[in-house]
Amino acid sequence: AGMALSVLVILLLSVLYEAVKMGKAVVLRRALRALPRNLSRESLVEPEETDTNPPQCRWFQYHVAQTLFHVVQVVLGYMVMLAVMSYNAWIFLGAIAGSTLGYFV
């Protein structure tokens, strides 16, 4: 029962790793869309008064979100790697199955 639970946890961690990786790509796409088309110094220093959330503020928020996604991705990646380094074939297969399932979803 303990081994089955361990394999299931590693499978879920691998799925979560793939989901975080995809979330990070989505945030990157939104951050690139939030950048102003005209990158002149005037447009970055003096935002329009009508815009309550200037482009550089939105870009910074996306950058912070992307940083948090990166930290979570690295932590999950190392946790899965440490589990695989136990040299247990079932754990390894759980990590592979979770990564496959997460990428598919």
Side-chain angles (χ1 to χ4, degrees), residues 10 13 17 70-85:
I10 295 304
L13 282 176
Y17 176 82
H70 180 74
V71 169
V72 171
Q73 181 184 0
V74 167
V75 168
L76 287 173
Y78 277 120
M79 288 174 67
V80 172
M81 181 193 67
L82 284 173
V84 168
M85 292 304 290

Side-chain angles (χ1 to χ4, degrees), residues 8-99:
L8 181 65
V9 167
I10 295 304
L11 187 135
L12 292 176
L13 282 176
S14 297
V15 168
L16 185 61
Y17 176 82
E18 292 293 331
V20 167
K21 191 165 67 169
M22 187 47 132
K24 187 175 158 186
V26 168
V27 170
L28 174 64
R29 195 173 321 126
R30 288 182 183 171
L32 291 176
R33 273 194 251 143
L35 284 175
R37 299 244 183 244
N38 183 7
L39 290 177
S40 68
R41 177 175 224 111
E42 293 82 21
S43 68
L44 292 176
V45 174
E46 298 174 10
E48 298 175 13
E49 282 76 20
T50 59
D51 195 4
T52 59
N53 200 6
Q56 64 268 24
C57 183
R58 282 193 307 260
W59 179 84
F60 183 73
Q61 291 169 350
Y62 285 128
H63 188 64
V64 169
Q66 196 175 14
T67 302
L68 294 175
F69 269 111
H70 180 74
V71 169
V72 171
Q73 181 184 0
V74 167
V75 168
L76 287 173
Y78 277 120
M79 288 174 67
V80 172
M81 181 193 67
L82 284 173
V84 168
M85 292 304 290
S86 69
Y87 299 109
N88 185 318
W90 292 108
I91 298 289
F92 177 72
L93 291 175
I96 296 297
S99 182

